[in-house]
């Protein structure tokens, strides 16, 4: 690309010559070049640009109509989107809760699988005698790795399904519900009676469990048998070598059976309490302490 000064209408301009390479760029240009068609530039585009000593590539691109993609803007828009904020909120909430309540989680896991004392106090003393304070946070690393994606997936799925169900519900009220034809009989499915919150809560629990159940299995092995499974990688390797992929999903059906009503009831309670509290106090939004109390009373 070359720049030459020229006068046009009393204003000093720069002529930018841009060579367009390629065999199909213009057959006439090759003939005008004395018949030398052996490669090189085939056509010359001359653009008049305002004279500017600080002219750079970005200004040239702007004048001739080129626009570079705004990668930074796209990244900022992505992280400001509602879905990303919901995923991040769920991940942060899960991480904070598990970090604080890890000792109780360790004692609960030992009592569930029948390791050591059957009482909270006795189990606490046993852990302290055998492993010290660090024993109360046994398996906490994998627990954090598990809970962050689990909570993120659950909250993100809940909000997304709730919005879609609310939109579909309004559409069903206006246009009618879907119909199923059995022979000559048409049956209209009363889907408009479904609660968007209940359906979204069930979907959130199922999605989080299906994706993150292997991490739950590894966490339990690390908590109850630290000698056999000293690290996350060793636990994963031994489970996979012994039982394959099925071993990582051991106990999935009971977990889903328990998670489905629990997740549904939790989100229904949470949304009901939040909505009722806002109506009672005539608020459009709640503070963080208020959300914390409502979440705790909802059972999570």
């Amino acid at each position: 690309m070359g720049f030459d000064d020229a006068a046009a209408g009393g204003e000093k301009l720069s002529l930018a010559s841009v060579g367009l390479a390629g065999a199909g760029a213009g057959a006439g240009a090759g003939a005008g070049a004395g018949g030398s068609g052996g490669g090189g530039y085939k056509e010359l585009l001359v653009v008049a640009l305002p004279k500017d000593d600080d002219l750079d590539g970005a200004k040239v691109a702007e004048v001739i109509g080129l626009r570079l993609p705004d990668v930074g803007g796209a990244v900022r828009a992505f992280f400001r989107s509602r879905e990303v904020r919901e995923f991040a909120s769920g991940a942060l909430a899960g991480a904070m809760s598990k970090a604080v309540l890890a000792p109780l989680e360790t004692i609960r896991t030992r009592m569930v699988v029948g390791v050591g004392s059957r009482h909270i106090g006795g189990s606490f003393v046993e852990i302290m005698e055998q492993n010290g304070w660090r024993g109360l946070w046994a398996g906490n690393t994998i627990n954090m790795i598990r809970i962050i994606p689990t909570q993120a997936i659950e909250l993100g799925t809940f909000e997304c399904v709730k919005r879609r169900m609310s939109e579909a519900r309004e559409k069903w009220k206006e246009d009618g519900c879907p119909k199923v034809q059995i022979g000559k009989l048409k049956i209209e499915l009363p889907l408009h009676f479904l609660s968007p919150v209940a359906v979204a809560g069930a979907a959130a629990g199922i999605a989080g469990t299906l994706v993150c159940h292997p991490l739950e299995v590894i966490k339990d092995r690390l908590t109850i048998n630290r000698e056999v499974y000293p690290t996350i990688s060793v636990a994963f390797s031994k489970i996979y070598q012994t039982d394959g992929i099925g071993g990582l999903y051991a106990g999935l059906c009971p977990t889903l059976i328990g998670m489905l009503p629990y997740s549904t009831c939790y989100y229904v309670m949470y949304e009901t309490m939040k909505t009722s509290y806002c109506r009672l106090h005539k608020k459009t939004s709640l503070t963080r302490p208020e959300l914390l109390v409502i979440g705790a009373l909802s059972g999570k």
Side-chain angles (χ1 to χ4, degrees):
M1 178 180 290
F3 293 95
D4 298 308
D5 295 338
E11 182 180 357
K12 202 170 185 181
L13 302 175
S14 291
L15 296 182
S17 59
V18 183
L20 302 179
S36 60
Y41 292 105
K42 299 296 183 183
E43 187 176 350
L44 190 66
L45 174 65
V46 180
V47 181
L49 303 174
K51 177 63 178 177
D52 189 352
D53 294 334
D54 297 328
L55 192 65
D56 56 13
K59 293 182 180 179
V60 172
E62 182 176 359
V63 171
I64 65 177
L66 296 178
R67 291 291 184 272
L68 298 177
D70 186 6
V71 178
V75 172
R76 287 192 296 271
F78 173 76
F79 283 104
R80 289 174 182 171
S81 63
R82 184 174 182 176
E83 288 77 10
V84 172
R85 293 201 306 269
E86 290 165 355
F87 269 70
S89 298
L92 183 60
M96 291 296 294
S97 64
K98 290 303 178 183
V100 174
L101 302 176
L104 293 177
E105 179 71 16
T106 300
I107 294 173
R108 183 196 70 84
T109 303
R110 287 171 60 92
M111 294 178 67
V112 168
V113 299
V115 175
S117 176
R118 296 289 183 177
H119 304 285
I120 296 176
S123 184
F124 175 80
V125 172
E126 288 179 355
I127 294 172
M128 291 295 296
E129 290 177 349
Q130 295 172 6
N131 302 305
W133 287 103
R134 294 183 62 183
L136 294 173
W137 274 267
N140 189 54
T141 301
I142 186 62
N143 207 17
M144 296 288 286
I145 295 174
R146 175 189 69 87
I147 200 62
I148 288 175
T150 300
Q151 291 294 97
I153 291 171
E154 282 190 9
L155 186 58
T157 302
F158 172 75
E159 294 293 342
C160 180
V161 174
K162 185 179 71 171
R163 285 195 296 271
R164 298 295 182 269
M165 278 295 298
S166 298
E167 295 171 359
R169 194 180 186 187
E170 295 298 323
K171 184 178 180 181
W172 292 334
K173 288 181 179 180
E174 296 176 359
D175 305 335
C177 295
K179 298 179 181 179
V180 176
Q181 185 169 355
I182 303 176
K184 296 182 179 180
L185 179 64
K186 286 187 178 181
I187 302 175
E188 184 175 357
L189 301 177
L191 299 180
H192 61 279
F193 288 112
L194 292 176
S195 169
V197 175
V199 174
I206 293 173
T209 301
L210 289 177
V211 174
C212 301
H213 187 75
L215 297 176
E216 177 74 18
V217 173
I218 295 175
K219 189 266 298 182
D220 289 342
R221 300 288 179 94
L222 289 174
T223 301
I224 64 176
N225 202 339
R226 196 72 179 183
E227 292 77 15
V228 179
Y229 304 100
T231 63
I232 297 173
S233 59
V234 171
F236 177 84
S237 177
K238 285 187 175 182
I239 294 171
Y240 182 75
Q241 290 176 0
T242 304
D243 302 314
I245 295 295
L248 295 172
Y249 281 91
L252 177 62
C253 288
T255 303
L256 284 175
I257 293 173
M259 176 58 69
L260 188 61
Y262 166 74
S263 181
T264 303
C265 293
Y266 165 74
Y267 281 106
V268 169
M269 285 290 295
Y270 177 77
E271 286 291 316
T272 302
M273 293 177 66
K274 185 173 68 172
T275 304
S276 301
Y277 186 86
C278 288
R279 288 176 180 174
L280 180 63
H281 295 275
K282 298 180 180 180
K283 290 185 173 183
T284 57
S285 61
L286 300 179
T287 63
R288 290 184 179 87
E290 290 172 335
L291 289 172
L292 179 63
V293 172
I294 291 176
L297 293 176
S298 300
K300 198 161 188 176

